């Protein structure tokens, strides 16, 4: 472990929380692209190496700052990797998303993250952060061409479904089964991910 | 005009605002179905007839409490009525929605309403209020069968598009032209509104 150069806030149990609070504030204020590990370290009064030690890369720090109950990069990737490769990308993304969201242990934390992303400044976290860090790699994993263009279209449907089903809980969407949702929404997502675009 | 029975808060310029504040609080706390004109009048310390005088029906009061920059029942209905009847319902709804949202005079007010509906309690306002009061009549106007079942599906896509384009402003969705959006999203909405359902 690299020791902090300033002698302030060494690796105490609080240091991690102080860094995380600084990261959250900076990501929200400056967006994903406008945030550096160095700036977060400065805000937290620690050496940048300590930020790397606790959180790894800037992507890792961003995911940590979202306070998700799971790391979507690994959980969604694992679910997609273990899904039937003969089904379309829409169905594989949808089943991965529903599997995570319908887990009662994860849903409260996911809801808190969604509310956080909908606050002012959240747009930059989604567009510059969540999209390239989480969603585009998922698209690449599924062989989606031009994921920077197609994944936002798929996200426009997935976010709407998450809002209606889990945030607003509007019927009949809130009570549809996984199989009903796959029948209704998988073709829509396939259209965005592998269909013709204007 | 019916005079208030209690002698408190007669028809002064403030009375309308007091009633509206009481309505907003009650709709948010008790939902659309759980709110009555009588209860709002009691909260505001006025006669129910005065609520009717200022706001009309419970539906009208609900729309007023949402503080929308326009009454969506008339604006969307007018746009749909004047649209090409030979195009599909998805395109007609989409063009009406985009026409209202892309109007810079209306967008700030619409954004405020969306944020209000996403707050806790907003789900009941959407599911029990906005859906039957605004969206189902739009479906009926377009000849959509079983609008209580189909309009929430269309709403799941329209809400996601509104979030990505106007609230979060995520590219490339934020910069697509109306014609590109119609090409991409109208077939999706037609699937929900007139396609086969499980």
């Amino acid at each position: 472990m690299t020791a902090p150069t300033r002698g302030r806030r060494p690796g105490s149990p609080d240091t991690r929380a102080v860094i995380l609070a600084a990261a959250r504030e900076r990501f929200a204020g400056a967006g994903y692209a406008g945030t550096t590990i160095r700036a977060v370290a400065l805000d937290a009064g620690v050496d940048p190496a300590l930020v790397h030690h606790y959180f790894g890369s800037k992507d890792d720090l961003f995911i940590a700052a979202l306070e998700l109950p799971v790391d979507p990069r690994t959980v969604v990737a694992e679910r997609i990797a273990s899904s039937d490769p003969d089904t379309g990308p829409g169905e594989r993304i949808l089943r991965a998303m529903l599997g995570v969201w319908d887990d009662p242990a994860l849903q409260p934390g996911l809801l808190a993250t969604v509310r956080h992303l909908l606050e002012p400044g959240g747009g930059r976290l989604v567009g510059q952060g969540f999209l390239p860090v989480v969603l585009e790699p998922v698209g690449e994993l599924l062989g989606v061409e031009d994921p920077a263009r197609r994944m936002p279209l798929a996200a426009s449907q997935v976010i709407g479904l998450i809002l209606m089903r889990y945030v607003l809980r509007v019927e009949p969407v809130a009570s549809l089964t996984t199989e009903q949702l796959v029948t209704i929404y998988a073709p829509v997502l396939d259209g965005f991910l592998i269909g013709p675009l204007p």
Side-chain angles (χ1 to χ4, degrees), chain A:
Chain A
M1 175 181 157
T2 310
T5 51
R6 305 185 181 210
R8 283 193 286 156
R9 294 201 186 97
S12 76
D14 287 342
T15 309
R16 196 180 178 284
V18 170
I19 295 170
L20 199 60
R24 209 171 301 123
E25 197 164 323
R26 197 157 267 274
F27 278 124
Y32 178 82
T35 295
T36 60
I37 292 268
R38 180 167 295 276
V40 171
L42 197 68
D43 293 348
V46 301
D47 190 272
L50 198 64
V51 180
H52 282 295
H53 168 77
Y54 274 113
F55 293 101
S57 69
K58 175 174 155 185
D59 282 8
D60 297 326
L61 180 63
F62 173 71
I63 295 292
L66 289 179
E67 294 191 281
L68 283 154
V70 286
D71 186 333
R73 296 173 299 177
T74 50
V75 169
V76 173
E78 276 165 17
R79 285 180 176 267
I80 284 173
S82 66
S83 67
D84 183 355
D86 293 333
T87 57
E91 177 168 343
R92 297 176 75 189
I93 284 182
L94 201 54
R95 287 190 188 278
M97 183 279 279
L98 293 170
V100 174
W101 270 91
D102 283 329
D103 184 336
L106 302 179
Q107 202 178 109
L110 294 168
L111 283 169
T113 300
V114 166
R115 293 205 178 278
H116 173 58
L117 291 174
L118 290 173
E119 285 164 10
R124 280 187 297 181
L125 297 185
V126 174
Q128 301 168 5
F130 197 75
L131 207 66
V133 174
V134 177
L135 292 188
E136 287 178 25
V138 167
E140 280 158 19
L141 194 66
L142 288 166
V144 171
E145 284 177 31
D146 200 356
R149 184 162 172 240
R150 290 179 178 273
M151 291 304 284
L153 299 178
S156 75
Q157 175 60 87
V158 172
I159 287 179
L161 174 56
I162 286 172
L163 275 176
M164 290 289 278
R165 182 175 173 84
Y166 302 107
V167 178
L168 301 173
R169 299 181 195 272
V170 172
E171 296 297 351
V173 180
S175 300
L176 291 174
T177 64
T178 299
E179 298 313 311
Q180 287 173 317
L181 291 168
V182 167
T183 303
I184 293 169
Y185 289 103
V188 172
L189 295 179
D190 278 345
F192 294 143
L193 297 172
I194 52 177
L197 289 184

